[in-house]
Amino acid sequence: MSRHLLIRYHEVALKGKNRGVFVGALATNVRKALARAGLDHPVRQERSQIRVDLPDGSDASPALNVISRVYGIARIAPVLRTGLAFDEIVDGVRETIRDEWNGAETFRVSASRADKRYPLTSADLNTQIGSLVEEETGAAVKLRGADIDLRIDVRERDAFVYVESVPGAGGLPVGSSGHVMALLSGGIDSPVAAARMFRRGCTVDFVHFHSFPLVDGSSRDKARDLVRVLDESQFGSRLHLVPFADAQRQIVAAVNPAYRVVAYRRFMVRVAEELARRVNALALVTGESIGQVASQTVENISTIDSVARMPVLRPLIGMDKQEIITEARRLGTFDISILPDEDCCSLFVPKHPILRSSIVEAERMETALDVDELVRMSADEAQMVTFGQ
């Protein structure tokens, strides 16, 4: 007998002829996650599952905690692997009882067979293993709401015995769905938006705009800290730090105060798109949610998007603030996001920003600016910081 973690995937299993690409990406990410945690456990791809081999006598918890953050996984179970002979399965059940029972008074047995040629049916296994457990523990069978659900998974070459599984992060494995560029503000929303793109299998570059030396460098520090946390799911990230101060001065001089924030964001979209092209990203990602702040009305989003040539994805568009905060806490980004900083968009903000901007009016104001040169200058001056590579 040997101990393992059995990884099951859901969405990946629904893929067709390219399923192998998704499974391969998932196995690679599991290996990277374990290696980053200093765990040298073999990872094996098998039919409909991935198996992590654990050293004899080791605690499964460290590897389980690490893998639970990897996107693309439905559930993870610490299992005991046995041979197919009934006596071997029984030995595995007895060992599982010794290790996992913890005084349970009720139980059920849930057996399944991947190979229908196996001589015992699932019902046979349930009955025979159930009688053994009753005899060994004195616990009573209870089909619903039992203290322990003892699972027997009979495969083609071996069987797995276990009593519990934990949920994974779900979604698709990072690196299986294309490359995007996420605008990272340093607030609560944008890290959550980026993580949602991870969950859909995207590789994410990050771009952060700062106004140093007009303000201190705290927003850049926050951006680095946020990407460091997010990289626990990506295993190699790039952050592009864009100096915004010079462009911001010119925008302030040229644009009606009510339009300043909209103008800032139109400029940011242009620069982010230029950087995205340079790294072969195919879409932009923002953390905007309709109506959350003045710049996020439908009219203002329309005005901002009018300068984009590639898709602008907004995974949080219909979420409310409390939903976003809950997800940020789960990700581990919330406590960083609420740290005080001097954000570039807080500079020169008018008391009454426009709520229903006009594309025509925004374009008219920008005629006083050399937009192409400002975009090129800002993109060229961007500093790229790498993580986890």
Side-chain angles (χ1 to χ4, degrees):
M1 290 183 287
S2 54
R3 296 191 179 276
H4 311 266
L5 293 177
L6 205 61
I7 296 171
R8 299 187 184 277
Y9 37 84
H10 180 223
E11 276 196 72
V12 171
L14 302 177
K15 299 300 178 183
K17 294 180 179 179
N18 61 346
R19 181 190 303 173
V21 174
F22 289 85
V23 176
L26 178 55
T28 295
N29 290 347
V30 170
R31 291 185 184 99
K32 288 179 179 178
L34 291 170
R36 179 172 287 191
L39 299 171
D40 185 21
H41 301 338
V43 177
R44 308 181 191 281
Q45 293 176 228
E46 299 186 340
R47 182 178 176 184
S48 76
Q49 62 195 19
I50 293 171
R51 195 182 81 212
V52 178
D53 299 340
L54 300 175
D56 290 342
S58 66
D59 180 6
S61 298
L64 189 63
N65 291 337
V66 167
I67 296 170
S68 67
R69 295 178 63 94
V70 177
Y71 289 102
I73 295 173
R75 301 197 70 82
I76 314 161
V79 303
L80 192 63
R81 180 179 171 223
T82 77
L84 288 175
F86 184 71
D87 287 348
E88 293 177 288
I89 294 175
V90 166
D91 288 343
V93 169
R94 287 194 170 112
E95 185 164 335
T96 300
I97 289 171
R98 287 195 297 271
D99 293 344
E100 306 287 350
W101 207 254
N102 296 325
E105 297 179 353
T106 60
F107 75 96
R108 65 170 287 168
V109 178
S110 302
S112 62
R113 300 177 305 158
D115 185 354
K116 302 307 179 186
R117 297 170 298 177
Y118 190 73
L120 295 175
T121 67
S122 297
D124 292 336
L125 287 166
N126 287 340
T127 300
Q128 295 186 40
I129 296 296
S131 297
L132 168 71
V133 173
E134 282 183 306
E135 185 178 318
E136 293 274 337
T137 67
V141 173
K142 186 178 182 181
L143 297 183
R144 292 188 179 179
D147 295 334
I148 279 187
D149 186 359
L150 179 64
R151 296 181 176 270
I152 316 293
D153 186 2
V154 178
R155 313 297 296 180
E156 289 85 353
R157 296 188 297 273
D158 40 32
F160 298 99
V161 182
Y162 59 101
V163 297
E164 66 175 347
S165 62
V166 300
L172 296 171
V174 174
S176 64
S177 297
H179 188 183
V180 299
M181 175 73 76
L183 282 77
L184 189 70
S185 68
I188 297 170
D189 304 339
S190 53
V192 175
R196 288 212 154 194
M197 300 311 298
F198 288 158
R199 199 168 190 270
R200 300 316 307 151
C202 291
T203 300
V204 181
D205 266 55
F206 301 89
V207 57
H208 174 75
F209 293 83
H210 64 87
S211 291
F212 183 84
L214 296 183
V215 298
D216 64 26
S218 56
S219 77
R220 293 180 300 177
D221 295 337
K222 280 181 67 175
R224 290 188 185 96
D225 290 342
L226 288 168
V227 174
R228 198 169 284 113
V229 171
L230 292 168
D231 188 58
E232 293 176 12
S233 297
Q234 180 158 253
F235 319 112
S237 300
R238 295 182 295 198
L239 169 63
H240 307 263
L241 296 169
V242 179
F244 189 45
D246 289 343
Q248 200 164 9
R249 290 190 188 97
Q250 295 188 47
I251 291 169
V252 168
V255 171
N256 182 317
Y259 269 77
R260 279 177 188 165
V261 175
V262 170
Y264 292 165
R265 298 202 182 280
R266 282 166 62 90
F267 173 81
M268 290 175 180
V269 165
R270 290 181 176 112
V271 176
E273 197 170 64
E274 173 59 26
L275 290 171
R277 289 192 194 97
R278 296 182 184 187
V279 297
N280 297 316
L282 300 176
L284 303 182
V285 178
T286 79
E288 291 161 317
S289 171
I290 287 180
Q292 194 172 116
V293 295
S295 64
Q296 295 176 20
T297 63
V298 172
E299 293 86 350
N300 286 349
I301 288 173
S302 176
T303 300
I304 294 164
D305 273 9
S306 67
V307 303
R309 297 179 183 176
M310 60 177 58
V312 181
L313 309 179
R314 294 181 170 87
L316 312 186
I317 197 68
M319 295 179 68
D320 64 39
K321 195 66 177 185
Q322 190 54 53
E323 290 174 312
I324 298 168
I325 288 172
T326 298
E327 197 159 332
R329 289 186 188 278
R330 182 185 61 78
L331 287 169
T333 57
F334 178 78
D335 289 341
I336 300 171
S337 293
I338 62 174
L339 293 172
D341 71 310
E342 294 189 300
D343 178 70
C344 63
C345 283
S346 63
L347 277 178
F348 314 120
V349 174
K351 283 188 177 180
H352 303 291
I354 190 76
L355 297 179
R356 293 177 174 82
S357 60
S358 157
I359 295 173
V360 172
E361 185 64 12
E363 290 174 344
R364 184 191 65 77
M365 293 178 194
E366 288 175 349
T367 58
L369 299 168
D370 188 344
V371 172
D372 291 342
E373 176 59 20
L374 282 175
V375 169
R376 184 200 61 75
M377 177 187 69
S378 296
D380 287 348
E381 293 179 356
Q383 174 195 6
M384 186 172 71
V385 184
T386 59
F387 298 80
Q389 295 177 353

